[in-house]
Amino acid sequence: MPDTHMAPAMMVPVPDIGDIRNAKIIEILVRPGDVVAANDSLVLLETDKATLEVPAPTAGMVGEILVAAGDSVQQGTMLLTLTPQGSTPAKAPVVHAPSAVVAPPPPAAPAAPTITGGSAYAGPAVRKLAREFGLDLAQVAGSGEAGRVQAEDLHRHVQQTIARAAQPTQAASTPPPWPVIDFAKFGPVERQSLSRVRRISGPALSRNWATIPHVTNFDEADVTDLEALRQQFNARDPSGPRITMLSFLIKAMVATLRRFPNFNAALDGDELVLKQYFHIGFAADTPNGLLVPVVRDVDRKGLRDISAEIADLALQAREGRIRQPDMEGGCISISSLGGIGGLGFTPIINAPEVAILGVARAAMKPVWNGQEFAPSLMLPLSLSWDHRVVDGAEAARFLVHLSGLLGDFRQILL
Ligand code: CAO
């Protein structure tokens, strides 16, 4: 049981504040008759370096106040009298949580001042609140007289700190909430559920777009001769599977991947997995959304087989009966919109692949051949690549090499 006996009043001086000779009393935080716990702040001092709180050396009742706000004081200046309550000073603060910089003082020695930093000053309630929040008041802009920090300043500071802390997280991983709009307010609408394919591919596309640092290079390949060759092949065997431009692109892609193995790779943590096989994915447009079937071991297949396989896989995808394993294991993808149209686009990399080739519609253009403008069938190519794995120069060389092969397909034999 604590001894409730009243001990004689003690003087509370300014504790050891170093060499400071003219600390100024900013605020007296207690009044005569106040009952304080050990470590409660009694007086607020300000020096040219910091604001200091003088804590109660022991629990007790405040008697006479010996100084006034505005007085200059130094170590040893008597501040007030305190009649201790209980025979021993509190070991742990009773009312105020100890701030990180204050230890309960020994019974007889003057308590160490609490340094709250800067020249911020505030009333005891605000200081208590700041301590509870673990805040340094010097960081809080005070809106009161002479910059005094008010409770609302503290709340605003906390809100701003939380908002600031949330910002990088939001930018890095959580996008801001999708706008919620009552569209019917503006006109008649109809609602449709997203297809299963879109519900699955949507988050994957968002992840790939948001997490892979994409860069897209553009080029054109002169496919005049290649298209003539394709027509020739198809004319030779009109009943066989039609050889498509996409199958030539796949063959040229294999040759280019052999030359640039970093594109036939996948990023796995700090490692690049270099693949020694050639499975090429191709984007297939289906009524339910985009799917990416994979043609395996294209290095070992001929143009006709590849074309037939593309047609078969695309049909399965459109009819919704393609199997998941037929969409796995791709090394790089090709997205061809050439059959539809367009000048070019920036395809999204199909993670964990390193790049994706976009193919737009070939068009006849007058191309200067050194002597004259020759009508040429130019195929627009775009290559999106992961800048964590490859650099612009390598990507440009990759695309130049690919377009060179398409321009003169005989080089594939070299
Ligand atoms: N430039 C000009 N014409 C082209 C062309 C090109 N790059 N590519 C194809 N064509 C023409 C050809 O004339 C072709 O007919 P012929 O071979 O008989 O001459 C015709 O378009 C039809 O081609 P196709 O697109 O049906 O066939 P394909 O083998 O070229 O492509 C497939 C197959 C599955 C890739 C395609 O049908 C498809 O789905 N493309 C869409 C891909 C897609 O959606 N990408 C976007 C992904 S991001 O959302």
Side-chain angles (χ1 to χ4, degrees):
M1 283 280 289
D3 179 359
T4 50
H5 244 59
M6 293 289 274
M10 62 187 284
M11 298 284 245
V12 178
V14 174
D16 182 0
I17 53 172
D19 291 339
I20 298 160
R21 295 260 162 256
N22 54 349
K24 192 171 161 198
I25 297 203
I26 296 287
E27 194 172 357
I28 297 172
L29 304 172
V30 288
R31 281 182 297 198
D34 281 357
V35 174
V36 295
N39 288 331
D40 275 3
S41 299
L42 301 174
V43 172
L44 189 62
L45 307 178
E46 186 182 61
T47 72
D48 51 358
K49 291 204 184 89
T51 301
L52 319 167
E53 281 177 43
V54 179
T58 185
M61 184 189 286
V62 176
E64 197 181 347
I65 310 284
L66 305 171
V67 286
D71 286 0
S72 282
V73 292
Q74 60 187 47
Q75 183 183 337
T77 306
M78 294 303 168
L79 296 170
L80 49 82
T81 62
L82 184 71
T83 307
Q85 287 187 341
S87 56
T88 52
K91 286 273 185 316
V94 177
V95 178
H96 289 188
S99 102
V101 289
V102 179
T114 304
I115 301 178
T116 43
S119 58
Y121 77 100
V126 171
R127 289 185 172 277
K128 180 168 182 277
L129 201 56
R131 270 197 297 275
E132 284 168 2
F133 282 138
L135 281 179
D136 178 359
L137 271 179
Q139 305 298 319
V140 183
S143 63
E145 207 179 318
R148 185 186 171 97
V149 180
Q150 323 261 36
E152 54 266 32
D153 298 327
L154 217 54
H155 287 126
R156 195 180 325 108
H157 180 83
V158 170
Q159 279 163 2
Q160 286 168 351
T161 307
I162 291 169
R164 262 200 304 276
Q167 261 171 16
T169 320
Q170 251 184 15
S173 57
T174 320
W178 192 254
V180 179
I181 294 169
D182 177 11
F183 299 99
K185 263 192 348 202
F186 306 107
V189 293
E190 182 200 321
R191 285 189 175 265
Q192 284 181 352
S193 297
L194 284 184
S195 69
R196 194 176 147 272
V197 169
R198 283 195 199 285
R199 284 204 304 272
I200 294 169
S201 64
L205 285 164
S206 300
R207 175 205 57 205
N208 298 349
W209 180 249
T211 60
I212 301 174
H214 281 72
V215 183
T216 307
N217 286 26
F218 297 89
D219 206 342
E220 272 184 327
D222 183 341
V223 292
T224 318
D225 294 344
L226 190 63
E227 179 59 11
L229 182 66
R230 189 176 81 90
Q231 300 286 359
Q232 228 179 328
F233 283 162
N234 282 338
R236 238 181 249 169
D237 184 6
S239 57
R242 186 176 51 97
I243 295 177
T244 62
M245 181 58 82
L246 188 51
S247 63
F248 281 100
L249 282 158
I250 286 178
K251 277 307 219 184
M253 178 62 88
V254 171
T256 311
L257 290 176
R258 284 194 201 281
R259 177 70 74 91
F260 298 91
N262 283 352
F263 285 82
N264 189 10
L267 199 55
D268 185 16
D270 286 342
E271 285 185 336
L272 196 60
V273 182
L274 294 154
K275 299 170 185 172
Q276 279 147 26
Y277 51 84
F278 298 89
H279 305 337
I280 309 290
F282 69 93
D285 174 38
T286 83
N288 288 327
L290 175 72
L291 289 173
V292 187
V294 175
V295 187
R296 278 167 215 289
D297 299 311
V298 286
D299 53 322
R300 291 190 244 144
K301 291 177 180 163
L303 290 165
R304 222 175 269 285
D305 286 346
I306 294 172
S307 299
E309 214 173 310
I310 290 171
D312 182 41
L313 287 168
L315 186 68
Q316 290 182 39
R318 284 181 188 132
E319 291 179 351
R321 55 186 173 83
I322 191 162
R323 297 173 322 128
Q324 182 59 30
D326 288 333
M327 296 186 285
E328 289 172 356
C331 302
I332 192 167
S333 299
I334 301 180
S335 176
S336 172
L337 290 172
I340 302 167
L343 296 174
F345 61 104
T346 54
I348 298 177
I349 296 167
N350 189 17
E353 295 167 15
V354 166
I356 182 169
L357 181 73
V359 184
R361 190 168 186 79
M364 291 302 290
K365 289 185 183 175
V367 176
W368 185 252
N369 65 12
Q371 273 113 38
E372 57 181 355
F373 282 102
S376 308
L377 185 63
M378 302 304 291
L379 180 71
L381 302 172
S382 49
L383 182 77
S384 295
W385 42 277
D386 185 337
H387 211 332
R388 294 171 301 177
V389 180
V390 285
D391 296 324
E394 200 180 356
R397 284 188 203 108
F398 181 99
L399 207 46
V400 165
H401 187 79
L402 181 73
S403 96
L405 291 178
L406 295 169
D408 182 0
F409 212 70
R410 293 168 306 175
Q411 288 185 64
I412 278 200
L413 302 170
L414 293 175

